[in-house]
Each structure stands twice: as C-alpha cells, then as structure tokens.
Amino acid sequence: MSGHSKWSTIKRKKGANDSARGKLFTKLAREIQVAAREGGPDGDANVRLRLAIEKARAENMPKDRIESAIRRGAGLDKDAAEIEEILYEGYAPHGVAVLLECLTDNRNRTIAEVRRCFSRANGNLSEPGSVAWQFTTKGYVAIHLQDGDGNSTELDPEEIFMEALDAGAEDVEVSDDAVEIYTERTDLAQVDRTLRAAGIQPDASELIMQPNQTLSLDTRAGLTVLHLLESLEELDDVNKVHHNLELTDELVAQVA
C-alpha cells in the first residue's frame, strides 16, 4: 500500500472505540457544514457535499446528524457556529513536512492546541507557504479488497483498475489490501461517479495533498514523527493531516 493508504489503515484501527468515533462524527459534521455553506445543500449539484455525505455514511454517522450539519451549513439553522477552514504548515522532528487542514469555530483555540502538539514533539510551526510547495493536490479514491476481519471481498481488482483508467484516473495502485486511485483534482468527481455507476462503492473519495517526495527514516525516528501526527489527528479542530514521511511496513507494524 502507498503511504496514504497505510496512514488511513492506522487511523481506522485506532479509531474503533466509541470516544474516537464521537470525535470522528464531529469532524465529519464540520466538513459537511463547510461544504453546504460553500456550494449549497443539494448533494447532487454540490460535489464536495456529496463526497462529504458519502464519507459520513461510510462511517455509519447517524442520518439526523448528517441532515443537521447540512442545515447549519446552508444557513437554515440560525444558531449554528461559523466554521472556517485554516491550513497550518510545520515540520515534525527530523525535517518531516506536515500540512494540517483545520475546521474550527475558534481560531485562537486551534492554533494554541496545534502549537502545543508541535512543541511537545520538538517540531515547529512554519510560515504560510513554507511547506505547502512540497505537496500537490490530487484526487484520491480507495476501494478495500478485505473486510474488517481480513477476509477478501468479491471485488475484482482488474475490473476496478480498468474502470478507473477509462474514467480518467492518473494512476492506479493495486495491493492485497486495496485498490488506490489517484486523479487530477478536477477529475475526482468523474472517476467517483463512474465507479459507482459500475457498482463499485469507494471506501474513500476525497482530495488529498500528495507529497512530491517522501522522507525515509529509521523505525525509531519514524515513531517519534508518527506520535506527533497521531496527537494532531486527535485534536477536534484538525480535519486532515498530510505529511511526507515514508511509511515502511516495519513502521506501520510498530504503530498498528
């Protein structure tokens, strides 16, 4: 699996308990709220909202919470807090680049919590633009080939591969665990629609910040970086964490 898929696998395994799922639902609700605010409450016309709703449904988020988030974002709930998007950039120990996508109703709280995590890990926040140039925005679609118990699904990797390429995918990676599809940012919606029309339901469909180059560290150093990334993930206001650490099998085994 690629670094992105391995990182997602770690998060999925560690997010199985109820408290972690509660935090996940809060983040998903904010993502839906921002998408509805920007593009309106119609998921058919608002691609970002549709993808956010699908992501929430895949995590078994209750229907009423999804609908409530849409209403708040669309301005139908006058008591809703204003959520803003913020991108923070920084460096973890050993020079690993980190990008944080945050959704927050309190910018001062968010920056204080993020700075605290970096400081405790001997990392540091950076000026805007100092890290982002090392990443490129890509569309990302993942289809798991194994269920939660490690059993193989009936999905045909070759069929997924061909459907994705025909739909305009830029790159397709197939492993024992998943098929990962990378697209230009503008082609994500088309690839997602084509797969669903073919009866293939993605487990993830989103825009990501893909590192232009990854940084390889030994296991001990890599663990110090992963501990920081995990502490950032646990913050309520952090929606996505992107990094350029190369996730080796040995490193993933130590964490997962």
Side-chain angles (χ1 to χ4, degrees), residues 196-235:
R196 293 179 189 276
I200 302 166
Q201 299 298 316
D203 294 287
S205 185
E206 59 188 343
L207 291 175
I208 65 169
M209 299 297 289
Q210 188 179 49
N212 299 328
Q213 287 186 317
T214 56
L215 181 61
S216 179
L217 299 175
D218 61 47
T219 301
R220 183 175 180 179
L223 284 174
T224 65
V225 176
L226 286 186
H227 290 155
L228 169 59
L229 299 180
E230 287 188 308
S231 69
L232 291 168
E233 282 278 1
E234 290 173 359
L235 296 179

mmCIF file of all heavy atoms in Angstrom, residues 196-235:
data_model
loop_
_atom_site.group_PDB
_atom_site.id
_atom_site.type_symbol
_atom_site.label_atom_id
_atom_site.label_comp_id
_atom_site.label_asym_id
_atom_site.label_seq_id
_atom_site.Cartn_x
_atom_site.Cartn_y
_atom_site.Cartn_z
ATOM 1 N N ARG A 196 -19.097 4.213 -9.157
ATOM 2 C CA ARG A 196 -20.387 3.915 -8.524
ATOM 3 C C ARG A 196 -21.400 3.408 -9.553
ATOM 4 O O ARG A 196 -22.202 2.517 -9.252
ATOM 5 C CB ARG A 196 -20.915 5.162 -7.813
ATOM 6 C CG ARG A 196 -20.068 5.574 -6.608
ATOM 7 C CD ARG A 196 -20.599 6.825 -5.926
ATOM 8 N NE ARG A 196 -19.660 7.322 -4.928
ATOM 9 C CZ ARG A 196 -19.590 6.866 -3.682
ATOM 10 N NH1 ARG A 196 -20.440 5.922 -3.281
ATOM 11 N NH2 ARG A 196 -18.707 7.358 -2.829
ATOM 12 N N ALA A 197 -21.361 3.978 -10.748
ATOM 13 C CA ALA A 197 -22.268 3.530 -11.805
ATOM 14 C C ALA A 197 -21.988 2.087 -12.203
ATOM 15 O O ALA A 197 -22.891 1.359 -12.645
ATOM 16 C CB ALA A 197 -22.148 4.448 -13.019
ATOM 17 N N ALA A 198 -20.722 1.667 -12.032
ATOM 18 C CA ALA A 198 -20.330 0.289 -12.353
ATOM 19 C C ALA A 198 -20.569 -0.657 -11.177
ATOM 20 O O ALA A 198 -20.186 -1.830 -11.241
ATOM 21 C CB ALA A 198 -18.857 0.252 -12.763
ATOM 22 N N GLY A 199 -21.173 -0.142 -10.100
ATOM 23 C CA GLY A 199 -21.452 -0.988 -8.937
ATOM 24 C C GLY A 199 -20.290 -1.127 -7.980
ATOM 25 O O GLY A 199 -20.284 -2.012 -7.129
ATOM 26 N N ILE A 200 -19.302 -0.253 -8.111
ATOM 27 C CA ILE A 200 -18.121 -0.290 -7.239
ATOM 28 C C ILE A 200 -18.220 0.875 -6.260
ATOM 29 O O ILE A 200 -18.154 2.036 -6.657
ATOM 30 C CB ILE A 200 -16.818 -0.186 -8.058
ATOM 31 C CG1 ILE A 200 -16.743 -1.324 -9.076
ATOM 32 C CG2 ILE A 200 -15.602 -0.203 -7.147
ATOM 33 C CD1 ILE A 200 -15.677 -1.134 -10.144
ATOM 34 N N GLN A 201 -18.372 0.600 -4.973
ATOM 35 C CA GLN A 201 -18.553 1.628 -3.965
ATOM 36 C C GLN A 201 -17.206 1.966 -3.296
ATOM 37 O O GLN A 201 -16.659 1.140 -2.572
ATOM 38 C CB GLN A 201 -19.555 1.173 -2.898
ATOM 39 C CG GLN A 201 -20.941 0.879 -3.439
ATOM 40 C CD GLN A 201 -21.586 2.106 -4.064
ATOM 41 O OE1 GLN A 201 -21.535 3.198 -3.509
ATOM 42 N NE2 GLN A 201 -22.190 1.927 -5.230
ATOM 43 N N PRO A 202 -16.687 3.145 -3.520
ATOM 44 C CA PRO A 202 -15.413 3.528 -2.884
ATOM 45 C C PRO A 202 -15.538 3.606 -1.368
ATOM 46 O O PRO A 202 -16.591 3.989 -0.836
ATOM 47 C CB PRO A 202 -15.118 4.901 -3.478
ATOM 48 C CG PRO A 202 -15.887 4.955 -4.751
ATOM 49 C CD PRO A 202 -17.138 4.181 -4.475
ATOM 50 N N ASP A 203 -14.474 3.247 -0.678
ATOM 51 C CA ASP A 203 -14.420 3.394 0.779
ATOM 52 C C ASP A 203 -13.895 4.770 1.160
ATOM 53 O O ASP A 203 -14.081 5.216 2.293
ATOM 54 C CB ASP A 203 -13.523 2.309 1.379
ATOM 55 C CG ASP A 203 -14.122 0.930 1.196
ATOM 56 O OD1 ASP A 203 -15.105 0.618 1.880
ATOM 57 O OD2 ASP A 203 -13.602 0.172 0.354
ATOM 58 N N ALA A 204 -13.229 5.425 0.231
ATOM 59 C CA ALA A 204 -12.768 6.795 0.433
ATOM 60 C C ALA A 204 -12.766 7.490 -0.916
ATOM 61 O O ALA A 204 -12.433 6.878 -1.929
ATOM 62 C CB ALA A 204 -11.371 6.830 1.043
ATOM 63 N N SER A 205 -13.161 8.750 -0.914
ATOM 64 C CA SER A 205 -13.160 9.538 -2.137
ATOM 65 C C SER A 205 -12.998 10.992 -1.718
ATOM 66 O O SER A 205 -13.932 11.607 -1.200
ATOM 67 C CB SER A 205 -14.464 9.338 -2.913
ATOM 68 O OG SER A 205 -14.433 10.013 -4.155
ATOM 69 N N GLU A 206 -11.798 11.548 -1.926
ATOM 70 C CA GLU A 206 -11.510 12.865 -1.372
ATOM 71 C C GLU A 206 -10.303 13.487 -2.053
ATOM 72 O O GLU A 206 -9.568 12.813 -2.770
ATOM 73 C CB GLU A 206 -11.227 12.750 0.127
ATOM 74 C CG GLU A 206 -10.051 11.834 0.429
ATOM 75 C CD GLU A 206 -9.870 11.547 1.905
ATOM 76 O OE1 GLU A 206 -10.429 12.281 2.736
ATOM 77 O OE2 GLU A 206 -9.160 10.582 2.230
ATOM 78 N N LEU A 207 -10.134 14.771 -1.804
ATOM 79 C CA LEU A 207 -8.920 15.456 -2.238
ATOM 80 C C LEU A 207 -7.858 15.302 -1.163
ATOM 81 O O LEU A 207 -8.147 15.428 0.032
ATOM 82 C CB LEU A 207 -9.200 16.940 -2.483
ATOM 83 C CG LEU A 207 -10.077 17.279 -3.688
ATOM 84 C CD1 LEU A 207 -10.363 18.773 -3.712
ATOM 85 C CD2 LEU A 207 -9.444 16.829 -4.995
ATOM 86 N N ILE A 208 -6.645 15.024 -1.565
ATOM 87 C CA ILE A 208 -5.537 14.890 -0.628
ATOM 88 C C ILE A 208 -4.381 15.771 -1.082
ATOM 89 O O ILE A 208 -4.350 16.240 -2.223
ATOM 90 C CB ILE A 208 -5.056 13.426 -0.517
ATOM 91 C CG1 ILE A 208 -4.471 12.950 -1.851
ATOM 92 C CG2 ILE A 208 -6.158 12.509 -0.040
ATOM 93 C CD1 ILE A 208 -3.739 11.626 -1.780
ATOM 94 N N MET A 209 -3.451 16.003 -0.177
ATOM 95 C CA MET A 209 -2.210 16.690 -0.513
ATOM 96 C C MET A 209 -1.129 15.620 -0.600
ATOM 97 O O MET A 209 -0.671 15.092 0.413
ATOM 98 C CB MET A 209 -1.875 17.733 0.543
ATOM 99 C CG MET A 209 -2.924 18.828 0.688
ATOM 100 S SD MET A 209 -3.111 19.817 -0.808
ATOM 101 C CE MET A 209 -1.573 20.732 -0.802
ATOM 102 N N GLN A 210 -0.727 15.277 -1.812
ATOM 103 C CA GLN A 210 0.249 14.212 -2.031
ATOM 104 C C GLN A 210 1.664 14.787 -2.027
ATOM 105 O O GLN A 210 1.940 15.761 -2.741
ATOM 106 C CB GLN A 210 -0.022 13.520 -3.366
ATOM 107 C CG GLN A 210 0.816 12.278 -3.603
ATOM 108 C CD GLN A 210 0.466 11.626 -4.930
ATOM 109 O OE1 GLN A 210 0.405 12.298 -5.954
ATOM 110 N NE2 GLN A 210 0.220 10.334 -4.907
ATOM 111 N N PRO A 211 2.558 14.229 -1.210
ATOM 112 C CA PRO A 211 3.928 14.758 -1.190
ATOM 113 C C PRO A 211 4.634 14.514 -2.521
ATOM 114 O O PRO A 211 4.500 13.456 -3.124
ATOM 115 C CB PRO A 211 4.588 13.970 -0.059
ATOM 116 C CG PRO A 211 3.798 12.707 0.056
ATOM 117 C CD PRO A 211 2.389 13.084 -0.291
ATOM 118 N N ASN A 212 5.374 15.510 -2.968
ATOM 119 C CA ASN A 212 6.132 15.361 -4.208
ATOM 120 C C ASN A 212 7.299 14.389 -4.019
ATOM 121 O O ASN A 212 7.698 13.694 -4.958
ATOM 122 C CB ASN A 212 6.660 16.721 -4.659
ATOM 123 C CG ASN A 212 5.534 17.705 -4.925
ATOM 124 O OD1 ASN A 212 4.440 17.317 -5.339
ATOM 125 N ND2 ASN A 212 5.780 18.975 -4.664
ATOM 126 N N GLN A 213 7.843 14.347 -2.797
ATOM 127 C CA GLN A 213 8.881 13.386 -2.436
ATOM 128 C C GLN A 213 8.658 12.970 -0.988
ATOM 129 O O GLN A 213 8.217 13.774 -0.169
ATOM 130 C CB GLN A 213 10.279 13.989 -2.587
ATOM 131 C CG GLN A 213 10.734 14.170 -4.028
ATOM 132 C CD GLN A 213 12.183 14.631 -4.101
ATOM 133 O OE1 GLN A 213 12.605 15.507 -3.349
ATOM 134 N NE2 GLN A 213 12.950 14.033 -5.000
ATOM 135 N N THR A 214 8.963 11.707 -0.679
ATOM 136 C CA THR A 214 8.828 11.248 0.699
ATOM 137 C C THR A 214 10.198 11.210 1.378
ATOM 138 O O THR A 214 11.236 11.134 0.712
ATOM 139 C CB THR A 214 8.190 9.852 0.769
ATOM 140 O OG1 THR A 214 8.966 8.930 -0.016
ATOM 141 C CG2 THR A 214 6.767 9.882 0.244
ATOM 142 N N LEU A 215 10.162 11.263 2.703
ATOM 143 C CA LEU A 215 11.390 11.246 3.500
ATOM 144 C C LEU A 215 11.452 9.937 4.272
ATOM 145 O O LEU A 215 10.520 9.588 5.004
ATOM 146 C CB LEU A 215 11.393 12.425 4.470
ATOM 147 C CG LEU A 215 12.612 12.583 5.376
ATOM 148 C CD1 LEU A 215 13.871 12.785 4.546
ATOM 149 C CD2 LEU A 215 12.405 13.760 6.328
ATOM 150 N N SER A 216 12.523 9.193 4.093
ATOM 151 C CA SER A 216 12.677 7.898 4.749
ATOM 152 C C SER A 216 13.471 8.048 6.044
ATOM 153 O O SER A 216 14.528 8.690 6.064
ATOM 154 C CB SER A 216 13.385 6.914 3.813
ATOM 155 O OG SER A 216 13.556 5.658 4.440
ATOM 156 N N LEU A 217 12.937 7.467 7.137
ATOM 157 C CA LEU A 217 13.611 7.489 8.435
ATOM 158 C C LEU A 217 13.694 6.062 8.983
ATOM 159 O O LEU A 217 12.922 5.188 8.584
ATOM 160 C CB LEU A 217 12.835 8.356 9.439
ATOM 161 C CG LEU A 217 12.649 9.839 9.102
ATOM 162 C CD1 LEU A 217 11.754 10.488 10.148
ATOM 163 C CD2 LEU A 217 13.992 10.557 9.025
ATOM 164 N N ASP A 218 14.624 5.837 9.918
ATOM 165 C CA ASP A 218 14.637 4.533 10.568
ATOM 166 C C ASP A 218 13.417 4.435 11.487
ATOM 167 O O ASP A 218 12.731 5.424 11.749
ATOM 168 C CB ASP A 218 15.934 4.306 11.342
ATOM 169 C CG ASP A 218 16.165 5.317 12.463
ATOM 170 O OD1 ASP A 218 15.227 5.573 13.248
ATOM 171 O OD2 ASP A 218 17.280 5.854 12.563
ATOM 172 N N THR A 219 13.145 3.228 11.965
ATOM 173 C CA THR A 219 11.908 2.991 12.716
ATOM 174 C C THR A 219 11.811 3.851 13.969
ATOM 175 O O THR A 219 10.750 4.423 14.267
ATOM 176 C CB THR A 219 11.809 1.501 13.101
ATOM 177 O OG1 THR A 219 11.821 0.708 11.905
ATOM 178 C CG2 THR A 219 10.514 1.232 13.862
ATOM 179 N N ARG A 220 12.899 3.984 14.702
ATOM 180 C CA ARG A 220 12.860 4.763 15.942
ATOM 181 C C ARG A 220 12.534 6.225 15.667
ATOM 182 O O ARG A 220 11.684 6.816 16.344
ATOM 183 C CB ARG A 220 14.197 4.649 16.670
ATOM 184 C CG ARG A 220 14.231 5.364 18.014
ATOM 185 C CD ARG A 220 15.540 5.110 18.731
ATOM 186 N NE ARG A 220 15.593 5.784 20.023
ATOM 187 C CZ ARG A 220 16.617 5.712 20.863
ATOM 188 N NH1 ARG A 220 17.674 4.973 20.554
ATOM 189 N NH2 ARG A 220 16.576 6.373 22.011
ATOM 190 N N ALA A 221 13.186 6.807 14.675
ATOM 191 C CA ALA A 221 12.917 8.205 14.340
ATOM 192 C C ALA A 221 11.514 8.359 13.765
ATOM 193 O O ALA A 221 10.802 9.330 14.066
ATOM 194 C CB ALA A 221 13.961 8.713 13.345
ATOM 195 N N GLY A 222 11.121 7.389 12.951
ATOM 196 C CA GLY A 222 9.789 7.445 12.348
ATOM 197 C C GLY A 222 8.682 7.416 13.385
ATOM 198 O O GLY A 222 7.651 8.084 13.245
ATOM 199 N N LEU A 223 8.888 6.655 14.451
ATOM 200 C CA LEU A 223 7.874 6.577 15.508
ATOM 201 C C LEU A 223 7.683 7.923 16.197
ATOM 202 O O LEU A 223 6.563 8.277 16.579
ATOM 203 C CB LEU A 223 8.263 5.505 16.530
ATOM 204 C CG LEU A 223 8.034 4.062 16.097
ATOM 205 C CD1 LEU A 223 8.599 3.093 17.141
ATOM 206 C CD2 LEU A 223 6.551 3.790 15.880
ATOM 207 N N THR A 224 8.748 8.685 16.374
ATOM 208 C CA THR A 224 8.599 9.994 17.004
ATOM 209 C C THR A 224 7.739 10.909 16.138
ATOM 210 O O THR A 224 6.953 11.716 16.658
ATOM 211 C CB THR A 224 9.969 10.654 17.249
ATOM 212 O OG1 THR A 224 10.610 10.928 15.995
ATOM 213 C CG2 THR A 224 10.865 9.762 18.085
ATOM 214 N N VAL A 225 7.868 10.768 14.826
ATOM 215 C CA VAL A 225 7.049 11.565 13.919
ATOM 216 C C VAL A 225 5.597 11.108 13.970
ATOM 217 O O VAL A 225 4.665 11.918 14.055
ATOM 218 C CB VAL A 225 7.580 11.479 12.483
ATOM 219 C CG1 VAL A 225 6.653 12.227 11.521
ATOM 220 C CG2 VAL A 225 8.991 12.034 12.399
ATOM 221 N N LEU A 226 5.381 9.795 13.943
ATOM 222 C CA LEU A 226 4.012 9.273 13.966
ATOM 223 C C LEU A 226 3.292 9.637 15.255
ATOM 224 O O LEU A 226 2.080 9.876 15.253
ATOM 225 C CB LEU A 226 4.020 7.752 13.779
ATOM 226 C CG LEU A 226 4.311 7.248 12.371
ATOM 227 C CD1 LEU A 226 4.154 5.735 12.298
ATOM 228 C CD2 LEU A 226 3.390 7.910 11.345
ATOM 229 N N HIS A 227 4.008 9.694 16.356
ATOM 230 C CA HIS A 227 3.384 10.091 17.619
ATOM 231 C C HIS A 227 2.866 11.520 17.527
ATOM 232 O O HIS A 227 1.784 11.843 18.038
ATOM 233 C CB HIS A 227 4.368 9.935 18.771
ATOM 234 C CG HIS A 227 4.670 8.515 19.108
ATOM 235 N ND1 HIS A 227 5.840 8.120 19.733
ATOM 236 C CD2 HIS A 227 3.963 7.374 18.901
ATOM 237 C CE1 HIS A 227 5.835 6.809 19.890
ATOM 238 N NE2 HIS A 227 4.700 6.331 19.384
ATOM 239 N N LEU A 228 3.624 12.406 16.875
ATOM 240 C CA LEU A 228 3.154 13.771 16.671
ATOM 241 C C LEU A 228 1.937 13.786 15.749
ATOM 242 O O LEU A 228 0.931 14.454 16.042
ATOM 243 C CB LEU A 228 4.262 14.637 16.073
ATOM 244 C CG LEU A 228 3.820 16.020 15.554
ATOM 245 C CD1 LEU A 228 3.190 16.847 16.664
ATOM 246 C CD2 LEU A 228 4.989 16.754 14.913
ATOM 247 N N LEU A 229 2.004 13.057 14.647
ATOM 248 C CA LEU A 229 0.888 13.042 13.698
ATOM 249 C C LEU A 229 -0.389 12.545 14.372
ATOM 250 O O LEU A 229 -1.483 13.078 14.146
ATOM 251 C CB LEU A 229 1.229 12.160 12.498
ATOM 252 C CG LEU A 229 2.443 12.587 11.659
ATOM 253 C CD1 LEU A 229 2.654 11.617 10.506
ATOM 254 C CD2 LEU A 229 2.281 14.010 11.142
ATOM 255 N N GLU A 230 -0.252 11.533 15.222
ATOM 256 C CA GLU A 230 -1.424 10.997 15.920
ATOM 257 C C GLU A 230 -1.988 12.006 16.915
ATOM 258 O O GLU A 230 -3.206 12.143 17.058
ATOM 259 C CB GLU A 230 -1.060 9.702 16.640
ATOM 260 C CG GLU A 230 -0.875 8.533 15.688
ATOM 261 C CD GLU A 230 -0.698 7.224 16.427
ATOM 262 O OE1 GLU A 230 0.167 7.148 17.323
ATOM 263 O OE2 GLU A 230 -1.444 6.286 16.129
ATOM 264 N N SER A 231 -1.114 12.729 17.608
ATOM 265 C CA SER A 231 -1.590 13.728 18.561
ATOM 266 C C SER A 231 -2.323 14.854 17.833
ATOM 267 O O SER A 231 -3.307 15.405 18.345
ATOM 268 C CB SER A 231 -0.423 14.286 19.386
ATOM 269 O OG SER A 231 0.446 15.074 18.587
ATOM 270 N N LEU A 232 -1.867 15.193 16.639
ATOM 271 C CA LEU A 232 -2.559 16.201 15.836
ATOM 272 C C LEU A 232 -3.911 15.681 15.349
ATOM 273 O O LEU A 232 -4.904 16.411 15.346
ATOM 274 C CB LEU A 232 -1.685 16.608 14.645
ATOM 275 C CG LEU A 232 -0.413 17.392 14.986
ATOM 276 C CD1 LEU A 232 0.505 17.471 13.773
ATOM 277 C CD2 LEU A 232 -0.747 18.787 15.495
ATOM 278 N N GLU A 233 -3.945 14.427 14.921
ATOM 279 C CA GLU A 233 -5.201 13.820 14.471
ATOM 280 C C GLU A 233 -6.258 13.845 15.561
ATOM 281 O O GLU A 233 -7.457 13.958 15.289
ATOM 282 C CB GLU A 233 -4.954 12.358 14.048
ATOM 283 C CG GLU A 233 -4.331 12.193 12.689
ATOM 284 C CD GLU A 233 -5.358 12.281 11.578
ATOM 285 O OE1 GLU A 233 -6.540 12.482 11.876
ATOM 286 O OE2 GLU A 233 -4.960 12.156 10.400
ATOM 287 N N GLU A 234 -5.832 13.726 16.809
ATOM 288 C CA GLU A 234 -6.782 13.649 17.915
ATOM 289 C C GLU A 234 -7.409 14.993 18.265
ATOM 290 O O GLU A 234 -8.412 15.045 18.985
ATOM 291 C CB GLU A 234 -6.082 13.069 19.148
ATOM 292 C CG GLU A 234 -5.735 11.595 18.994
ATOM 293 C CD GLU A 234 -4.885 11.063 20.138
ATOM 294 O OE1 GLU A 234 -4.551 11.871 21.038
ATOM 295 O OE2 GLU A 234 -4.561 9.869 20.128
ATOM 296 N N LEU A 235 -6.855 16.089 17.769
ATOM 297 C CA LEU A 235 -7.426 17.397 18.033
ATOM 298 C C LEU A 235 -8.762 17.537 17.307
ATOM 299 O O LEU A 235 -8.878 17.220 16.115
ATOM 300 C CB LEU A 235 -6.468 18.501 17.575
ATOM 301 C CG LEU A 235 -5.124 18.578 18.303
ATOM 302 C CD1 LEU A 235 -4.280 19.708 17.705
ATOM 303 C CD2 LEU A 235 -5.311 18.778 19.796
#
